[in-house]
Amino acid sequence: MKITVIGFWGGYPAKNEASSGYLLEYEDYRVLLDCGSGVLAQLQNHLKPEELDAVVLSHYHPDHVADIGVLQHALLIQQMLGSKQKTLPIYGHSLDPIEFNKLSYKNITKGIAYSTDKPVQIGPFTFQFMKTNHPAPCFAMRIEAGGDTLVYTGDTTYMDELADFASEANVLLCESNFYSDTNTDASKAGHMTAREAGMIAEKANVQLLILTHLPHYGDHQQLKKEAGEVFMREIALAKSCLEFQL
């Protein structure tokens, strides 16, 4: 399994970068996790939009789905130019019917609802979903392929259940939108601190913690330091084009 960070900012993208978007590849199958603002432009550094096999969305906040519409238009234009392509499946939850219905567009994309009831097979990847604690309905993902496991938290406050969900994963891609040494209560915004991300990683006994959904202030190295106070294994900060091969 190969993981490439396309975008990692929380809320909105920094200059020339993108908010949430992560490319997963196994064998010749390519899945995009979330499609936030700026993701489509950055994605094209790695592949053509029509080369995607599936998209999976954690929730419908703009920093996670803003580029779905332009992705649909990109596929439409390429179809008009003669590109042969099948309908792209976009997986999302159906708790917000208005937003879910936007995932289907002509014969270009088709919205497919997932739930926590049973795993979903998407190409070679097996997805399991867990509802998180966030102002809008949001789902963490446990993704397995070829004997390796990636867990993506999506957006959430600290939850003990996340440690069980991420148990023994190779990689925990965990939101870390707040610093631990401030007076701001991350949970009121529906997010976590770096220390809380480290606590989940430690309890889950993961091999690698990647901090993502990063804030637009402060020194991001401080996030790594705070997570490292409770998690003693490898920690990385998400950044554009960061790649990991499992």
Side-chain angles (χ1 to χ4, degrees):
M1 190 191 305
K2 180 181 177 183
I3 308 159
T4 304
V5 176
I6 306 299
F8 63 92
W9 290 98
Y12 67 97
K15 181 173 61 177
N16 298 323
E17 295 189 317
S19 57
S20 294
Y22 313 92
L23 180 63
L24 296 187
E25 300 174 81
Y26 185 78
E27 296 175 341
D28 293 325
Y29 202 89
R30 294 155 169 174
V31 178
L32 181 65
L33 306 182
D34 283 343
C35 190
S37 180
V39 164
L40 186 64
Q42 297 297 323
L43 180 67
Q44 291 174 85
N45 291 313
H46 306 276
L47 50 74
K48 298 175 182 178
E50 60 268 28
E51 292 176 333
L52 280 174
D53 293 295
V55 178
V56 186
L57 303 175
S58 62
H59 66 302
Y60 302 126
H61 274 162
D63 56 330
H64 294 256
V65 299
D67 272 16
I68 286 294
V70 291
L71 171 61
Q72 291 167 330
H73 288 163
L75 297 175
L76 175 63
I77 291 168
Q78 289 305 311
Q79 185 184 79
M80 293 169 62
L81 292 174
S83 173
K84 293 182 180 180
Q85 54 189 274
K86 58 186 178 182
T87 301
L88 178 71
I90 303 180
Y91 294 81
H93 68 73
S94 58
L95 299 180
D96 185 334
I98 293 176
E99 294 299 325
F100 176 75
N101 288 338
K102 293 178 183 178
L103 305 184
S104 295
Y105 178 66
K106 300 181 184 292
N107 67 336
I108 302 298
T109 61
K110 173 65 175 177
I112 301 175
Y114 62 67
S115 72
T116 60
D117 295 338
K118 59 182 180 180
V120 177
Q121 195 70 34
I122 304 175
F125 298 99
T126 302
F127 279 73
Q128 297 179 67
F129 298 92
M130 188 189 84
K131 194 171 187 296
T132 67
N133 186 20
H134 195 59
C138 182
F139 291 80
M141 309 172 193
R142 184 181 177 97
I143 307 155
E144 300 179 6
D148 293 316
T149 302
L150 165 72
V151 172
Y152 171 44
T153 63
D155 287 4
T156 184
T157 63
Y158 178 86
M159 301 170 62
D160 284 330
E161 296 91 334
L162 278 168
D164 293 332
F165 189 67
S167 179
E168 305 296 333
N170 300 88
V171 177
L172 174 61
L173 183 60
C174 189
E175 79 119 282
S176 179
N177 203 214
F178 284 84
Y179 295 89
S180 305
D181 58 351
T182 67
N183 294 323
T184 305
D185 186 349
S187 65
K188 289 183 178 179
H191 292 290
M192 281 195 289
T193 66
R195 183 179 179 85
E196 288 172 330
M199 290 169 60
I200 290 172
E202 179 66 21
K203 290 180 179 180
N205 195 36
V206 304
Q207 296 176 17
L208 168 65
L209 169 63
I210 304 177
L211 301 176
T212 193
H213 205 275
L214 304 184
H216 286 268
Y217 65 97
D219 180 0
H220 288 171
Q221 291 298 323
Q222 180 66 21
L223 296 170
K224 189 174 179 180
K225 178 181 177 182
E226 292 171 359
E229 292 173 355
V230 289
F231 179 64
M232 305 305 169
R233 293 187 178 181
E234 185 178 359
I235 302 172
L237 290 169
K239 61 181 180 180
S240 297
C241 299
L242 180 68
E243 295 182 355
F244 285 91
Q245 186 84 46
L246 302 183

